[in-house]
Amino acid sequence: MRVPLSWLREYVDLPATETGRDVQAKLIDVGLEVETVERLGEGLKGPLVVGQVLTIEELEGFKKPIRFCTVDVGDANGTGEPQEIVCGARNFAVGDKVVVVLPGAVLPGDFKIAARKTYGKTSHGMICSGDELGMGDDGTHGIIVLPPEYEVGTDAIELLELVDEVLDIAVTPDRGYCLSLRGVARETATAYGLPLRDPALLDVPPPNASGYPVQVSDPIGCDRFTARTVSGLEPEARSPIWLTRRLQKAGMRPVSLAVDITNYVMLELGQPLHAYDRATVDGPIGVRRATAGEQLTTLDGTKRVLDAQDLVITDNRGPIGLAGVMGGANTEIAGAVTDPETGELRGTTDVVIEAAHFDAISIARTARRHKLSSEAAKRFERGVDPEAASAAAQRTVDLLVLLGGGTAGEGVTEVVSPRGPRTLTIPADHPDKVAGVEYGRETVVRRLQQVGCDVYGQDELVVTVPSWRPDLSDPNDLAEEVIRLEGYENLPSTLPKPPAGRGLTERQRLHRRVGRVLAGAGYVEALNYPFTGSHVLDQLGIEPDDPRRSAVTLVNPLSDEEPDLRTTLIPGLLGALRRNYGRGSHDLALFETGPVFRATGDEKAASRLVVDRRPTDDEIASLDASLPQQPRRAAVVLTGAREQAGWWGEGRPAIWADAIEAGRAVAREAGVELIVRQDQHAPFHPGRCAALLALVDGEEVLVGNAGELHPRVIKAMALPERTCAMEIDLDRLERAGAGALKAPKISSFPVATQDVALIVDDSVPAADVEAALRDGAGELLESLRLFDVFTGEQTGAGKKSLAYALRFRAPDRTLTAEEATAARDAAVAAAVERTGAVLRG
């Protein structure tokens, strides 16, 4: 909502020294979100005056039409002589009054005006358009043509109200009354402690039988409908400058007198209105639900197929408007048009004015159903004051009579569904308990009265809620009003006191260590949204019976393309990798830790908990039973160079082994040594995929997978070639761990190194050979590393050679060569027995 400060001052006597910034600070203090204060006309400097076009000479020989004009600007130029100006616009003629800026002036944007030679003539100034003066769109995109009554030489800066401040307020859904000058003025008056001049306090005639006939068939959808008529409007009547300028400052485009007045009153009082050309309305006006399949062409020229839930305005022919959203084209106010045969000026002369109150939910659904956002719908769906309809209709009639030369019809139609005032009961000390501050009864009553409530009672207050505040429906809403008007900044700031001796849990420490170790390994954390869609799983080649297909679907997703909660971290990371790769970063290593969501099918519907007490253990357990499984995972993706080339040597690309090593690094933080075996698991390449296993209670359990992505996946997701990934289950790692990590004991005695090369069948996993060597070597074995894999004629067909480096060390003595050799031989013997290995050489 854009609020011109000059307009706001009409309803509140603000001190003359108050600037837009001052008012912004005050409104923010009472809870309004004032985003910006726009200073219109900042840097504008005259002379900027009204001029009259005396002559127009068409200049020829140029690519576009150019006119050389003489303009009478009075004594503004210091000589009284006509001002010579070159102009390319075509929407003015000899005798028109225009806005002229003279040499020495400065327009918005630090545009300095000086005499200059152009198109073979010297132009002493400019004839201005609205855009050049920062006025906004007036619908013409051309030169400003003023009404003839303004005198030549008049200061146009003051005439066009070019200098002003405009507050741009982000109105939250519960503050619909602030989508009007009336509502913002009420908040301003409260913030400054000043009286409010309510523009809705008008003398309104009572309804009578001679009003325009209206039939409301749906009193729930429309509980109030006011109709007034004005006849004898002058077709040539134009909106005065003050009205068009206020509309422009508020962000609306002037259209015609009748439309401008309805928009003006809507901005002033917050009540949307609609004016119908009476000559095109056939019979009584009706309000009903649409018949499915009915059609209506709205004012934007779009033919819309109506839904049975749409509330429509009708006449004898059918729908003539979408109630509360937009009127129909068949009853549109006609602009002034000159009859080419008679020269007579024709246009709308008689209008019917509609001021109604519609159901907020119905209007919101209609606007979204037809993807039709309008200023009227924006207000109705946030709540409009039903008691303001008759005042808004009267204000519209008064302005049409004053500015359009019309005559107000004596008939007044009001169709009203009876409703009583809304009352709430609240203890006088309830705001004190909510805020933790002792306000006292007098303060509570005074603040509620400032909001517009009627308050009765002593310890128990009976509060009648004002008609313009449909959001006040609960005692806590009233408490909030007291608290915000007393100032949120005055609430005591009390930090919670955690009990001593409690810090992070071991699980939390593990998650933090995982993040640190991956960051230390050169990975960059990427935080992705937890939303996905089945099409991504299709691209990853995941089978229909895969557990990762058991997704939790959101009822109201942010995007129809991503309605599910993720079951794996890899798609989000691959999306981040693809975006960064497309922006020129080709060497990437990303990681993420976070939960995935796996539906089991056994989840129960969640029960709604009460808020006046702590939930019981059974109620909390029922909530937990409604949740899907949420295991926490860590994942990495990488592509490009893993080590950069430079003067220090050649670099190397990232390969599947780097992804496996990332899994090992994560596992080591949990105190787990992974077992790595060959695997086939989507979305990985079948020959470059590893299963990451850990021992849980003596059994091997799959905790993750790593490797290079399948070429089909890379093609489907437009990823770089040889992209690798790893994903690991942190909860399973935690179960496999031995608890808190213990610092290793470092022996001060020297190490003994023994190398061994074993020939085994190609089908024997290196992990099995490694496990056998570890078991056979015994306690003296400090570390074991595979440093070479060889195949060739020397090993024989279907065979491979695995070379290991074994490090032996004793904690209490220096090992002898015989002890180290014995330990190595024991390790080899275990490998021979369990894997069929043969010692090479």
Side-chain angles (χ1 to χ4, degrees):
M1 176 68 187
R2 290 172 57 85
V3 179
L5 187 60
S6 59
W7 194 354
L8 184 62
R9 289 182 183 274
E10 285 198 4
Y11 313 117
V12 185
D13 289 326
L14 294 172
T17 56
E18 288 294 283
T19 65
R21 297 287 186 187
D22 298 329
V23 177
Q24 178 189 29
K26 286 285 189 180
L27 291 179
I28 289 175
D29 287 342
V30 296
L32 285 184
E33 187 178 343
V34 186
E35 293 187 327
T36 59
V37 177
E38 183 179 354
R39 299 174 63 88
L40 302 181
E42 188 173 20
L44 178 64
K45 176 184 175 184
L48 186 71
V49 298
V50 175
Q52 184 172 22
V53 180
L54 301 179
T55 65
I56 297 177
E57 177 188 350
E58 300 289 346
L59 301 181
E60 299 180 353
F62 300 102
K63 292 183 179 180
K64 61 180 181 178
I66 298 296
R67 312 167 96 187
F68 180 66
C69 311
T70 59
V71 186
D72 180 11
V73 295
D75 296 329
N77 57 6
T79 65
E81 296 294 325
Q83 199 79 1
E84 296 179 341
I85 298 175
V86 175
C87 183
R90 314 289 296 176
N91 68 313
F92 64 94
V94 173
D96 283 345
K97 298 288 181 67
V98 294
V99 178
V100 180
V101 59
L102 301 177
V106 180
L107 295 183
D110 197 27
F111 182 27
K112 298 178 181 179
I113 304 299
R116 65 190 186 95
K117 190 168 184 179
T118 179
Y119 296 102
K121 301 285 186 179
T122 300
S123 182
H124 299 272
M126 285 173 49
I127 302 175
C128 297
S129 68
D131 290 336
E132 290 164 340
L133 297 179
M135 294 172 58
D137 183 16
D138 61 358
T140 65
H141 298 289
I143 293 301
I144 301 170
V145 179
L146 300 171
E149 61 266 22
Y150 295 107
E151 295 184 3
V152 168
T154 302
D155 184 2
I157 295 178
E158 182 177 352
L159 174 66
L160 299 178
E161 302 177 15
L162 297 178
V163 179
D164 202 351
E165 292 182 279
V166 177
L167 285 71
D168 193 350
I169 303 175
V171 179
T172 52
D174 61 328
R175 296 288 189 88
Y177 67 99
C178 285
L179 288 171
S180 67
L181 266 295
R182 181 194 185 200
V184 176
R186 187 182 304 279
E187 294 294 328
T188 306
T190 301
Y192 279 91
L194 297 172
L196 168 71
R197 287 189 293 274
D198 191 344
L201 296 179
L202 302 174
D203 292 330
V204 180
N208 53 56
S210 59
Y212 196 90
V214 174
Q215 300 171 351
V216 177
S217 303
D218 190 337
I220 296 177
C222 176
D223 57 15
R224 181 182 292 264
F225 196 106
T226 300
R228 300 289 298 275
T229 58
V230 177
S231 59
L233 292 173
E234 299 171 1
E236 71 276 9
R238 298 172 55 184
S239 300
I241 289 176
W242 65 266
L243 192 150
T244 59
R245 287 297 295 133
R246 286 187 173 180
L247 290 178
Q248 288 175 324
K249 292 176 186 179
M252 302 190 76
R253 180 173 64 86
V255 179
S256 64
L257 178 63
V259 176
D260 292 349
I261 287 175
T262 58
N263 285 336
Y264 178 84
V265 176
M266 177 184 68
L267 292 171
E268 184 179 50
L269 301 181
Q271 168 66 55
L273 302 109
H274 191 71
Y276 301 93
D277 187 335
R278 187 171 183 177
T280 61
V281 178
D282 183 7
I285 290 177
V287 183
R288 63 170 171 82
R289 296 289 172 177
T291 301
E294 277 188 303
Q295 295 186 353
L296 169 68
T297 301
T298 47
L299 288 172
D300 59 359
T302 302
K303 181 178 288 187
R304 304 183 185 277
V305 179
L306 303 181
D307 186 89
Q309 294 300 314
D310 292 333
L311 195 66
V312 292
I313 311 298
T314 65
D315 64 5
N316 289 336
R317 298 166 298 177
I320 59 173
L322 269 177
V325 180
M326 185 174 287
N330 55 350
T331 56
E332 183 179 5
I333 299 295
V337 178
T338 302
D339 190 312
E341 296 182 359
T342 64
E344 180 184 359
L345 194 64
R346 295 180 178 179
T348 298
T349 57
D350 301 336
V351 298
V352 180
I353 299 161
E354 165 207 309
H357 184 261
F358 301 111
D359 176 62
I361 295 177
S362 177
I363 300 306
R365 288 175 176 171
T366 295
R368 282 156 180 75
R369 186 180 298 119
H370 294 282
K371 295 180 173 60
L372 184 56
S373 177
S374 66
E375 292 291 332
K378 183 193 303 182
R379 285 163 173 80
F380 276 122
E381 65 186 30
R382 286 166 173 79
V384 169
D385 182 5
E387 303 296 330
S390 56
Q394 182 63 45
R395 177 72 164 140
T396 305
V397 168
D398 293 343
L399 289 173
L400 284 172
V401 171
L402 175 66
L403 304 177
T407 301
E410 295 182 357
V412 177
T413 302
E414 277 202 22
V415 180
V416 181
S417 297
R419 63 160 68 189
R422 293 181 298 117
T423 60
L424 298 173
T425 301
I426 175 176
D429 61 348
H430 183 64
D432 302 10
K433 294 179 179 178
V434 173
V437 176
E438 292 187 10
Y439 292 121
R441 179 189 177 280
E442 290 185 2
T443 299
V444 171
V445 171
R446 175 171 56 85
R447 289 304 191 184
L448 292 178
Q449 288 174 339
Q450 287 178 332
V451 171
C453 299
D454 292 330
V455 186
Y456 306 96
Q458 292 299 318
D459 294 338
E460 197 79 12
L461 302 179
V462 178
V463 182
T464 302
V465 176
S467 58
W468 59 83
R469 291 300 301 272
D471 59 298
L472 301 182
S473 59
D474 184 89
N476 288 324
D477 296 330
L478 300 178
E480 182 185 1
E481 294 300 299
V482 175
I483 295 168
R484 75 175 179 88
L485 293 180
E486 282 295 301
Y488 291 121
E489 70 279 3
N490 296 323
L491 294 177
S493 178
T494 305
L495 294 175
K497 297 179 179 179
R502 292 188 183 180
L504 297 177
T505 65
E506 184 57 35
R507 184 170 186 261
Q508 291 170 327
R509 291 192 183 98
L510 171 61
H511 296 162
R512 293 198 177 187
R513 290 200 305 271
V514 167
R516 284 196 293 266
V517 74
L518 289 176
Y523 292 86
V524 177
E525 187 171 16
L527 301 177
N528 300 297
Y529 287 117
F531 310 120
T532 186
S534 58
H535 67 284
V536 177
L537 301 181
D538 295 338
Q539 293 175 334
L540 293 177
I542 294 176
E543 298 295 332
D545 58 347
D546 193 292
R548 287 171 289 180
R549 290 282 186 175
S550 301
V552 177
T553 301
L554 300 175
V555 175
N556 188 23
L558 293 179
S559 170
D560 292 338
E561 295 182 357
E562 296 181 330
D564 302 330
L565 291 175
R566 66 190 180 190
T567 57
T568 169
L569 298 181
I570 288 179
L573 282 173
L574 291 179
L577 182 141
R578 182 175 58 244
R579 285 190 298 274
N580 283 276
Y581 192 88
R583 286 162 175 75
S585 298
H586 294 167
D587 302 323
L588 295 165
L590 307 178
F591 84 92
E592 182 177 12
T593 62
V596 298
F597 306 85
R598 296 286 181 88
T600 63
D602 298 328
E603 294 85 5
K604 301 177 181 178
S607 57
R608 187 181 295 273
L609 299 183
V610 297
V611 296
D612 58 349
R613 60 172 172 79
R614 185 187 184 280
T616 65
D617 292 341
D618 290 341
E619 288 172 336
I620 295 175
S622 69
L623 277 186
D624 290 338
S626 68
L627 298 176
Q629 293 181 358
Q630 300 179 51
R632 195 168 182 88
R633 300 288 186 88
V636 305
V637 294
L638 62 164
T639 189
R642 186 67 180 133
E643 295 179 3
Q644 295 289 341
W647 56 266
W648 51 84
E650 295 183 359
R652 69 172 183 85
I655 59 172
W656 54 268
D658 294 302
I660 295 175
E661 180 55 32
R664 291 184 189 273
V666 170
R668 281 193 290 269
E669 293 302 315
V672 176
E673 282 294 330
L674 290 181
I675 302 168
V676 181
R677 300 187 189 279
Q678 187 175 3
D679 195 9
Q680 292 188 14
H681 184 77
F684 297 100
H685 191 297
R688 296 166 188 162
C689 173
L692 308 180
L693 305 125
L695 291 177
V696 178
D697 298 329
E699 294 185 5
E700 291 186 2
V701 175
L702 180 69
V703 296
N705 288 92
E708 182 181 310
L709 296 182
H710 198 290
R712 283 197 297 267
V713 174
I714 290 176
K715 182 178 180 181
M717 301 190 73
L719 298 170
E721 292 184 0
R722 298 300 178 95
T723 297
C724 301
M726 181 279 297
E727 185 172 22
I728 196 166
D729 191 315
L730 297 181
D731 293 343
R732 292 183 181 177
L733 278 182
E734 186 180 8
R735 290 197 298 271
L741 292 178
K742 296 181 180 179
K745 294 182 179 179
I746 306 300
S747 173
S748 60
F749 294 95
V751 65
T753 303
Q754 296 273 0
D755 292 345
V756 60
L758 301 174
I759 297 176
V760 296
D761 292 339
D762 280 339
S763 60
V764 176
D768 290 351
V769 178
E770 181 177 329
L773 289 172
R774 285 185 183 279
D775 293 343
E779 296 180 353
L780 294 179
L781 181 66
E782 181 179 80
S783 67
L784 173 68
R785 180 173 63 88
L786 174 66
F787 67 87
D788 184 50
V789 178
F790 175 76
T791 58
E793 294 180 359
Q794 297 90 332
T795 62
K799 301 288 185 178
K800 61 183 176 182
S801 172
L802 304 177
Y804 292 91
L806 289 75
R807 291 167 58 92
F808 299 98
R809 192 187 327 242
D812 56 351
R813 68 186 188 281
T814 300
L815 292 178
T816 64
E818 291 78 9
E819 289 177 308
T821 301
R824 189 202 74 156
D825 291 344
V828 172
V832 170
E833 180 182 353
R834 288 165 53 176
T835 66
V838 176
L839 187 64
R840 185 179 176 188

